[in-house]
């Protein structure tokens, strides 16, 4: 089907927005500048969005500042009700939101549905957590005093979200911010802004007041500079590369902002001899190929102990070879297009370097255009490029190891520490490895660890702060101590 037919899969037309959302109004760029949003599978035009001026982005920040006092003083229960209405709308439009994500991102439709459900989960969790920002009573050290600590909303917050999960990466910032009583200005990735604009449409329908949530589109450097320099913006939540995260942290220092940084990953997967073969293969399939490998927690390095190596590699190769590469809108597609040609070029670079170092292809091969087939390479050197850089694509490389201490050394030989995976049945091995691996999250006998109910975040160069669970709500709250004397 042609691009107009592909775009027509969105049934509820208000979700396909071509304007930014500021202070409760939809607007185009004041100077007429625009950015094309294209379909990764066809290269065709889905929509054209505004490239806002600096004054327009500042207007969104100003609107958030004006809206903050009234929103933060709303009873938490009332803020939770608004989020609950939004949750109902997201679930009502689940089909359209999934199709919209596939259109702009390329991921298979079945994975887009998973993203909608994951994103909706954050709205559900924080609709409930809104009323749980509990303080504490502190025993006074002297008579006649009452000491207590209470939590209050930070203020205006900014969110900068990536293209790989365009809806879920925003709801896990937006939902706790609004639940806490903060207001937010969001800047989605220019490749995939449509899901964020659709969320703004549904937020408006749910009754989120003007100024409480705005979505700005345009030049990332200009918008990021405004966010970091503004004394009004009290927190920035960013998901993206470590390089950009470091720049944002440095630029935020003069205004001493609160920061949540979910940055780059280089996740190891350790498969020990005593692992259940079927469980290990299932875990590797999800950890490596979910979202076409375009995930910060993707298993970037798969270390397999020699006793299980051959059996694992054979079964894993069969599963990889059976995956279908194609149009994300087709129900049986397993791997869709990558976000752009540069992403495929990086996968090809990592593949070529692994083969030059003695690796062998057991399934798949080189990509072309925006399509990269699911690929498995064995015999990869421990210092191969794909072990040192985040591949961000459907390329799995297997490195053999012999001893436990060797596996831990290899796993920790990286400046990153976001996620890691362990496959084993021995309880001692599981607990020891979970403790010894330097990462913020560990998946044991599973490749699917993300949930709104648990804290998500890394260590080392993979970032600071947590998203999800009650810990994610605390990221948007100040703890204020009050000493009441003369009692």
């Amino acid at each position: 089907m042609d691009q107009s037919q592909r775009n027509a899969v969105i049934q509820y037309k208000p979700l396909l927005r071509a304007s930014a959302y500021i202070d409760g109004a939809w607007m185009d760029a004041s100077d007429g500048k625009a950015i094309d949003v294209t379909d990764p599978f066809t290269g065709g035009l889905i929509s054209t969005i505004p490239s806002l001026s600096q004054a327009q982005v500042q207007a969104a920040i100003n609107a958030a500042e004006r809206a903050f006092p009234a929103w933060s003083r709303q009873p938490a229960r009332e803020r939770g009700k608004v989020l609950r209405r939004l949750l109902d709308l997201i679930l009502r439009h689940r089909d359209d939101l999934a199709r919209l994500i596939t259109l702009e991102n390329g991921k298979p439709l079945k994975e887009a549905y998973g993203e909608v459900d994951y994103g909706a989960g954050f709205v559900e969790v924080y609709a409930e957590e809104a009323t749980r920002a509990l303080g504490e009573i502190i025993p006074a050290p002297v008579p006649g005093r009452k000491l207590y600590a209470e939590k209050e909303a930070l203020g205006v917050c900014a969110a900068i979200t990536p293209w790989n999960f365009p809806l879920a990466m925003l709801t896990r910032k937006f939902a706790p911010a609004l639940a806490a009583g903060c207001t937010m200005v969001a800047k989605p990735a220019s490749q995939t802004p449509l899901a964020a604009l659709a969320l703004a449409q549904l937020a408006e329908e749910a009754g989120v007041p003007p100024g409480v949530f705005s979505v700005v589109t345009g030049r990332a450097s200009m918008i990021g500079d405004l966010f970091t320099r503004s004394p009004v913006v009290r927190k920035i939540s960013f998901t993206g590369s470590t390089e950009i995260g470091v720049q944002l942290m440095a630029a935020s220092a003069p205004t001493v902002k609160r920061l949540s940084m979910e940055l780059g990953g280089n996740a190891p997967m350790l498969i020990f001899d005593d692992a259940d073969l079927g469980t290990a293969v299932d875990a590797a399939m999800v950890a490596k190929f979910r979202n076409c490998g375009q995930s910060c927690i993707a298993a970037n390095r798969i270390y397999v102990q020699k006793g299980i190596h051959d059996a694992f590699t054979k079964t894993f190769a069969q599963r990889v070879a059976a995956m279908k590469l194609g149009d994300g809108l087709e129900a049986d597609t397993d791997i869709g297009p990558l976000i752009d040609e540069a992403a495929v070029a990086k996968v090809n670079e990592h593949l070529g370097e692994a083969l030059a170092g003695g690796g062998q292809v057991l399934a798949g091969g080189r990509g072309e255009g925006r399509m990269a087939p699911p690929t498995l390479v064995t015999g990869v050197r421990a210092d191969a490029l794909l072990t040192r850089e985040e591949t961000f694509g459907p390329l799995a490389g297997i490195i053999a190891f012999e001893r436990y201490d060797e596996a831990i050394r290899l796993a920790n030989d990286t400046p990153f520490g976001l996620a890691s995976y362990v496959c084993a049945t021995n309880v001692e091995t599981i607990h020891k490895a979970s403790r010894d691996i330097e990462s913020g999250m560990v998946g044991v006998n599973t490749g699917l660890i993300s949930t709104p109910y648990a804290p998500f975040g890394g260590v080392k160069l993979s970032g600071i702060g947590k998203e999800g669970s009650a810990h994610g709500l605390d990221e948007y709250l100040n703890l204020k101590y009050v000493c009441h004397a003369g009692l």
Side-chain angles (χ1 to χ4, degrees):
M1 53 183 166
D2 62 26
Q3 194 60 51
S4 62
Q5 291 173 312
R6 293 174 68 82
N7 295 350
V9 299
I10 310 301
Q11 301 295 310
Y12 184 55
K13 300 308 178 187
L15 290 182
L16 190 55
R17 281 289 182 176
S19 302
Y21 184 68
I22 298 174
D23 198 14
W26 296 93
M27 59 183 62
D28 297 327
S30 56
D31 57 7
K33 292 183 179 179
I35 300 169
D36 290 342
V37 182
T38 59
D39 183 330
F41 185 70
T42 65
L45 184 68
I46 304 172
S47 182
T48 300
I49 60 166
S51 182
L52 298 176
S53 68
Q54 182 171 312
Q56 289 177 297
V57 178
Q58 185 61 52
I61 295 172
N62 295 343
E65 183 182 24
R66 289 193 303 271
F68 173 70
W71 180 249
S72 62
R73 290 169 189 156
Q74 279 273 351
R77 183 169 178 268
E78 297 304 313
R79 296 196 298 268
K81 285 181 179 179
V82 174
L83 289 174
R84 177 62 66 176
R85 290 197 295 270
L86 175 59
L87 172 65
D88 292 342
L89 289 170
I90 290 173
L91 297 178
R92 182 184 307 170
H93 297 289
R94 180 173 180 262
D95 290 340
D96 276 340
L97 289 170
R99 296 185 192 111
L100 184 60
I101 290 169
T102 294
L103 271 180
E104 66 174 344
N105 172 275
K107 69 177 63 180
L109 191 58
K110 54 191 173 186
E111 296 214 16
Y113 275 111
E115 180 180 346
V116 175
D117 294 341
Y118 180 47
F122 288 103
V123 181
E124 181 176 30
V125 165
Y126 290 110
E128 300 168 354
E129 287 290 340
T131 61
R132 299 174 188 159
L134 305 179
E136 59 188 72
I137 304 296
I138 303 163
V142 294
R145 292 193 175 195
K146 182 175 184 178
L147 313 182
Y148 59 94
E150 58 185 5
K151 296 177 181 179
E152 61 182 17
L154 274 173
V156 176
C157 301
I160 303 174
T161 56
W163 50 261
N164 58 338
F165 290 91
L167 181 70
M169 295 302 98
L170 180 53
T171 59
R172 79 179 188 185
K173 303 176 189 300
F174 157 93
L178 267 64
C182 297
T183 55
M184 175 167 277
V185 180
K187 196 282 176 194
S190 293
Q191 300 102 313
T192 58
L194 302 181
L197 295 171
L199 181 65
Q201 170 67 35
L202 296 181
E204 183 179 56
E205 293 180 19
V208 174
V212 170
F213 179 55
S214 295
V215 177
V216 295
T217 55
R219 287 191 301 115
S221 58
M222 179 271 289
I223 295 172
D225 186 54
L226 273 181
F227 286 167
T228 55
R229 286 193 294 109
S230 172
V232 171
V233 176
R234 296 310 314 144
K235 174 185 172 70
I236 295 177
S237 180
F238 171 74
T239 298
S241 72
T242 297
E243 178 186 8
I244 300 301
V246 169
Q247 292 175 17
L248 290 170
M249 292 175 72
S252 296
T255 50
V256 194
K257 300 188 192 304
R258 287 273 288 274
L259 298 169
S260 293
M261 295 279 148
E262 197 259 280
L263 307 177
N266 188 12
M269 171 171 267
L270 307 184
I271 300 173
F272 292 95
D273 281 345
D274 66 307
D276 177 82
L277 180 61
T279 298
V281 172
D282 287 344
M285 290 295 295
V286 174
K288 176 68 255 184
F289 294 107
R290 176 174 174 245
N291 205 50
C292 309
Q294 298 176 122
S295 169
C296 54
I297 61 171
N300 206 54
R301 305 167 285 147
I302 302 177
Y303 300 106
V304 185
Q305 201 162 13
K306 288 192 173 179
I308 197 176
H309 178 276
D310 291 350
F312 172 84
T313 301
K314 179 181 178 181
T315 306
F316 191 33
Q318 292 170 347
R319 291 280 297 277
V320 174
M323 298 181 82
K324 180 184 176 184
L325 176 70
D327 181 0
L329 287 178
E330 294 181 4
D332 59 347
T333 293
D334 297 305
I335 300 289
L338 301 193
I339 192 65
D340 53 29
E341 289 83 356
V344 176
K346 186 176 185 181
V347 173
N348 285 342
E349 179 189 11
H350 283 196
L351 173 61
E353 196 268 352
L355 296 180
Q360 293 181 311
V361 173
L362 300 187
R366 289 180 58 83
E368 185 176 349
R370 295 189 182 187
M371 306 300 291
T375 300
L376 175 62
V377 182
T378 190
V380 176
R381 294 193 328 269
D383 63 346
L385 192 59
L386 66 79
T387 72
R388 292 181 280 114
E389 294 182 1
E390 202 171 13
T391 303
F392 235 65
L395 169 63
I398 294 179
I399 303 100
F401 73 91
E402 292 186 10
R403 303 176 312 280
Y404 173 89
D405 58 346
E406 178 189 3
I408 297 299
R409 178 183 58 78
L410 290 168
N412 290 338
D413 187 19
T414 175
F416 301 98
L418 185 57
S420 58
Y421 303 91
V422 174
C423 292
T425 56
N426 182 280
V427 174
E428 182 181 354
T429 300
I430 289 170
H431 287 295
K432 194 170 187 300
S434 298
R435 182 185 64 246
D436 290 344
I437 292 175
E438 298 169 351
S439 66
M441 301 173 287
V442 181
V444 178
N445 293 324
T446 180
L448 188 62
I449 62 174
S450 299
T451 172
Y453 298 92
F456 186 106
V459 297
K460 301 197 288 189
L461 291 188
S462 288
I464 56 174
K466 298 295 181 182
E467 295 184 309
S469 77
H471 298 285
L473 185 69
D474 281 341
E475 297 283 341
Y476 293 90
L477 294 166
N478 280 325
L479 187 64
K480 177 181 282 185
Y481 157 58
V482 179
C483 176
H484 185 177
L487 298 178

